[in-house]
Amino acid sequence: MKCSDIISKIEEMSPPVYALDWDNIGLQVGRREKEVGTVYIALDATDDVIQKAIECEADMLITHHPMIFSPLKKVVADDFIGRRVLRLAKHDISYYAMHTNFDVMGMADAAADMIDLNKRDVLDVTFEDEIGEEGIGRVGRLPEIMTLLELCDFVKKSFEIDNVKVFGELDSTCEFAAISPGSGKSMIKKAIRAGADVLITGDIDHHDGIDAVAQGLSIIDAGHFGIEKIFVPYMEEFIRREMPGIKVYTSDLIAPFKVV
């Protein structure tokens, strides 16, 4: 199967038109005509991930976060991004990133499914047409009313993470929740406008957290990696289902930091 055929399948699921203007998605390194028999899936194209892809003799690497965001004026081994590009090219590995297009068409509902969010709406509308609205995050009703502490435990269990950071009174009641995978401080005002009791997201700092609580919104920070790691099993299942002839390897789901 050619790389271009795999890209077509992926883009049927998460069309590029849904990507935000600032993003850099799509094929970043390699050949569209490359014959692909083995795919490696990861959240980020780190040095370790690229090495694992090489060891697996992968023909294609697919990640959520783009390796190349800013334009490269040169591709040299002196620069860590340049080194990664050169390694991928040397081993003829085509590299594809699907970021905010997947956030809109994939990640948002997948994350909401993980916490059984029902009667849901789009949290941040980023795309509209005659059919309807799409966008980042979801807001809806939790499967049952629970305290903030109970919801923290539910989130940890649902996303298989060891801990969360929480802003708010642990005995407060949560019924209406917003979830926005990744870095979600820009979603605080949207969650408040939507009437959410709590926002589940990542990368919330001190001031944004306490300011949210002052406006009646609790925050559960499950981490950028903690929620978005669902990209890996999601894409593994998609490729195995839609392209059964492709061999699939995935990166280990290990947080990129340690709490000590």
Side-chain angles (χ1 to χ4, degrees):
M1 194 172 194
K2 291 187 182 297
C3 174
S4 58
D5 296 325
I6 294 175
I7 291 173
S8 293
K9 284 280 190 182
I10 289 172
E11 293 184 351
E12 286 177 12
M13 176 184 69
S14 301
V17 68
Y18 291 104
L20 302 188
D21 292 341
W22 51 261
D23 204 2
N24 186 31
I25 64 166
L27 188 66
Q28 297 199 346
V29 179
R31 302 180 291 120
R32 291 183 181 274
E33 69 274 15
K34 164 83 175 178
E35 285 290 339
V36 176
T38 302
V39 167
Y40 194 88
I41 303 170
L43 195 63
D44 298 277
T46 63
D47 292 328
D48 287 343
V49 161
I50 292 172
Q51 180 58 36
K52 291 287 181 60
I54 292 168
E55 291 171 0
C56 293
E57 298 183 347
D59 303 298
M60 186 173 183
L61 170 63
I62 300 173
T63 71
H64 179 47
H65 298 133
M67 181 179 71
I68 302 172
F69 258 120
S70 303
L72 296 176
K73 293 184 178 180
K74 53 188 176 182
V75 180
V76 294
D78 296 339
D79 172 68
F80 78 101
I81 297 296
R83 284 197 300 273
R84 292 174 183 175
V85 172
L86 290 170
R87 290 186 74 202
L88 289 166
K90 177 181 177 180
H91 292 275
D92 196 16
I93 298 174
S94 293
Y95 167 57
Y96 183 91
M98 45 191 303
H99 191 209
T100 51
N101 55 321
F102 180 77
D103 283 337
V104 172
M105 300 299 287
M107 183 80 80
D109 280 317
D113 287 343
M114 295 289 285
I115 57 169
D116 299 325
L117 206 64
N118 56 73
K119 296 182 180 179
R120 67 183 71 156
D121 292 307
V122 175
L123 178 60
D124 179 23
V125 175
T126 58
F127 182 90
E128 295 181 75
D129 61 14
E130 63 278 2
I131 299 175
E133 300 175 337
E134 289 294 348
I136 305 293
R138 295 292 184 264
V139 59
R141 298 202 174 274
L142 292 165
E144 61 184 58
I145 298 174
M146 58 187 84
T147 66
L148 182 57
L149 179 58
E150 289 170 336
L151 182 55
C152 288
D153 290 335
F154 181 52
V155 168
K156 288 192 292 183
K157 181 178 179 180
S158 299
F159 290 99
E160 298 181 354
I161 52 181
D162 294 330
N163 53 68
V164 296
K165 183 168 66 174
V166 57
F167 294 89
E169 295 297 328
L170 295 180
D171 60 353
S172 61
T173 300
C174 299
E175 180 179 6
F176 198 53
I179 186 165
S180 183
S183 184
K185 67 179 182 179
S186 64
M187 298 295 162
I188 290 175
K189 290 183 179 179
K190 299 178 190 302
I192 292 170
R193 283 200 295 268
D197 302 310
V198 59
L199 170 63
I200 304 162
T201 188
D203 296 346
I204 299 297
D205 64 26
H206 171 83
H207 295 289
D208 290 314
I210 62 174
D211 289 350
V213 173
Q215 297 172 83
L217 179 71
S218 298
I219 301 281
I220 296 176
D221 186 335
H224 199 124
F225 173 84
I227 300 177
E228 287 199 335
K229 67 181 182 181
I230 63 175
F231 169 82
V232 175
Y234 187 106
M235 287 306 300
E236 178 183 17
E237 192 277 332
F238 175 80
I239 291 175
R240 291 190 189 281
R241 183 183 71 245
E242 299 293 329
M243 296 162 266
I246 300 295
K247 186 182 294 185
V248 182
Y249 291 95
T250 61
S251 64
D252 296 328
L253 297 179
I254 300 173
F257 62 89
K258 294 179 177 62
V259 177
V260 298

